[in-house]
């Protein structure tokens, strides 16, 4: 757990998009993707709140070839987002390995970031707030996500289903070097962004929007990260899926007094 600080930030970042197998796109595809990205960003200006249901699974092991995981964690979360002013409330359940499920909950408002850890409410140090605020923005804002997608435009492809447009991207191996600007938009520290990027081996992303409103309907993300822990090479595989609904229905997020008191 020596890398917990970096790990929790990486796990919170839920940027979401998936697909093109060869990692390349024609000029026509790029223009098509850019046009859709601009339209989604524009529509995001009229979206001020929504509810997100998400599921994430993180597997950590010694060898990505054998997939022999030392442990796994799974989290199911319901999140309420208000984009302006930026606020968040998350509640869910986490299972680590074969342990019993544990409740998870957090609040982010102008008053700070409060997290339920091991049954106790804690206020995260102010030194975390800049990164945490940026993380919440990356998770929640369609405009922010479109800014990030534009940095990897040659890898982005567009497809559609009956009611949705789908933006997808997939990078692996040397292609991940092209994610430098993408990662810099996720971290307040350029140094930390480059450290995380150096660990990344592959990324698959998908971002889905409604054809009528251009508001987000769902995201999917898969990452494979390799690093050294306690002198041994390890891998971490992150898979996250989310769906969005109840647009502009969240009017306020208030941190309960008992939470504030317990965190003191």
């Amino acid at each position: 757990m020596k890398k917990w600080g970096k790990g929790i930030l990486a796990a919170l970042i839920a940027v979401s998009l998936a697909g093109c197998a060869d990692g390349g796109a024609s000029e026509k595809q790029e223009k098509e993707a850019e046009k859709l990205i601009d339209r989604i960003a524009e529509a995001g200006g009229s979206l001020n709140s929504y509810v997100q249901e998400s599921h994430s699974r993180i597997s950590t092991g010694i060898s990505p070839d054998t997939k022999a995981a030392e442990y796994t964690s799974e989290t199911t979360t319901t999140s309420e987002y208000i984009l302006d002013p930026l606020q968040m409330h998350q509640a869910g359940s986490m299972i680590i390995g074969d342990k019993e499920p544990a409740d998870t909950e957090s609040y982010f408002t102008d008053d700070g970031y409060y997290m339920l850890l091991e049954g106790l409410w804690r206020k995260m140090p102010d030194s975390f707030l800049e990164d945490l605020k940026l993380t919440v923005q990356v998770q929640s804002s369609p405009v922010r996500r479109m800014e990030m997608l534009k940095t990897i435009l040659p890898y982005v492809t567009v497809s559609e289903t009956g009611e949705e447009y789908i933006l997808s991207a997939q990078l692996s191996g040397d292609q991940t070097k092209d994610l430098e600007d993408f990662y810099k938009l996720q971290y307040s520290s350029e140094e930390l962004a480059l450290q995380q990027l150096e660990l990344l081996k592959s990324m698959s992303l998908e971002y889905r929007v409604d054809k009528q409103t251009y508001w987000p309907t769902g995201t999917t993300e898969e990452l494979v990260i390799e690093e050294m822990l306690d002198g041994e090479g390890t891998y971490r595989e992150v898979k996250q899926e989310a769906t969005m609904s109840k647009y502009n229905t969240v009017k306020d997020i208030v941190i309960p007094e008992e939470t504030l008191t317990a965190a003191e």
Side-chain angles (χ1 to χ4, degrees):
M1 301 299 289
K2 294 180 179 179
K3 304 251 180 173
W4 173 249
K6 296 178 183 178
I8 190 172
L9 289 176
L12 283 170
I13 293 173
V15 245
S16 307
L17 314 133
C20 167
D22 59 10
S26 67
E27 184 176 348
K28 181 179 178 180
Q29 287 176 318
E30 281 193 42
K31 289 182 178 179
E32 181 182 14
E34 185 172 23
K35 182 178 180 180
L36 181 55
I37 286 171
D38 288 341
R39 184 67 185 87
I40 295 169
E42 180 184 0
S46 60
L47 178 63
N48 194 48
S49 72
Y50 62 88
V51 176
Q52 175 174 297
E53 303 287 343
S54 60
H55 176 264
S56 68
R57 177 183 174 87
I58 301 176
S59 301
T60 300
I62 299 300
S63 170
D65 297 320
T66 63
K67 303 294 184 184
E70 289 185 330
Y71 65 86
T72 62
S73 66
E74 293 194 53
T75 305
T76 302
T77 307
T78 298
S79 306
E80 297 176 296
Y81 290 110
I82 295 177
L83 305 185
D84 187 21
L86 185 61
Q87 302 168 65
M88 177 193 72
H89 173 229
Q90 290 184 329
S93 176
M94 174 184 286
I95 301 175
I96 299 178
D98 57 0
K99 296 182 179 179
E100 292 295 316
D103 291 337
T104 65
E105 193 169 5
S106 61
Y107 289 90
F108 179 89
T109 71
D110 289 339
D111 294 327
Y113 188 89
Y114 295 81
M115 179 178 288
L116 186 64
L117 292 173
E118 298 179 346
L120 298 175
W121 279 104
R122 300 177 187 179
K123 183 178 182 181
M124 302 302 287
D126 290 343
S127 59
F128 276 72
L129 288 182
E130 188 175 5
D131 277 319
L132 287 169
K133 182 176 182 179
L134 191 56
T135 294
V136 176
Q137 287 177 330
V138 168
Q139 286 181 317
S140 63
S141 171
V143 175
R144 186 75 178 188
R145 293 186 181 189
M146 294 307 101
E147 289 176 355
M148 294 171 64
L149 272 187
K150 273 199 168 183
T151 67
I152 56 170
L153 195 58
Y155 296 95
V156 178
T157 60
V158 176
S159 59
E160 60 181 283
T161 62
E163 299 179 350
E164 297 174 326
Y165 291 117
I166 303 170
L167 289 164
S168 302
Q170 182 173 312
L171 299 90
S172 61
D174 288 342
Q175 294 171 347
T176 60
K177 296 176 182 178
D178 294 332
L179 287 163
E180 182 172 331
D181 290 335
F182 183 93
Y183 259 61
K184 285 179 180 178
L185 287 173
Q186 295 186 44
Y187 295 90
S188 57
S189 164
E190 181 175 323
E191 179 182 0
L192 183 55
L194 294 178
Q195 287 175 355
Q196 292 297 316
L197 179 58
E198 186 176 349
L199 302 177
L200 183 69
K201 298 305 176 184
S202 67
M203 179 177 71
S204 177
L205 304 164
E206 181 178 285
Y207 190 89
R208 304 182 297 278
V209 299
D210 182 87
K211 285 184 176 180
Q212 300 300 316
T213 63
Y214 292 90
W215 287 346
T217 57
T219 64
T220 304
E221 177 182 17
E222 295 187 17
L223 305 174
V224 174
I225 299 164
E226 293 183 17
E227 58 186 320
M228 297 295 292
L229 289 176
D230 298 325
E232 291 186 322
T234 67
Y235 80 95
R236 185 164 68 247
E237 187 176 89
V238 182
K239 295 183 178 181
Q240 304 181 55
E241 295 181 341
T243 58
M244 293 83 161
S245 62
K246 300 181 181 179
Y247 307 107
N248 292 342
T249 61
V250 184
K251 303 303 181 182
D252 196 16
I253 292 176
V254 178
I255 303 175
E257 188 62 35
E258 55 266 31
T259 297
L260 297 173
T261 301
E264 290 180 356

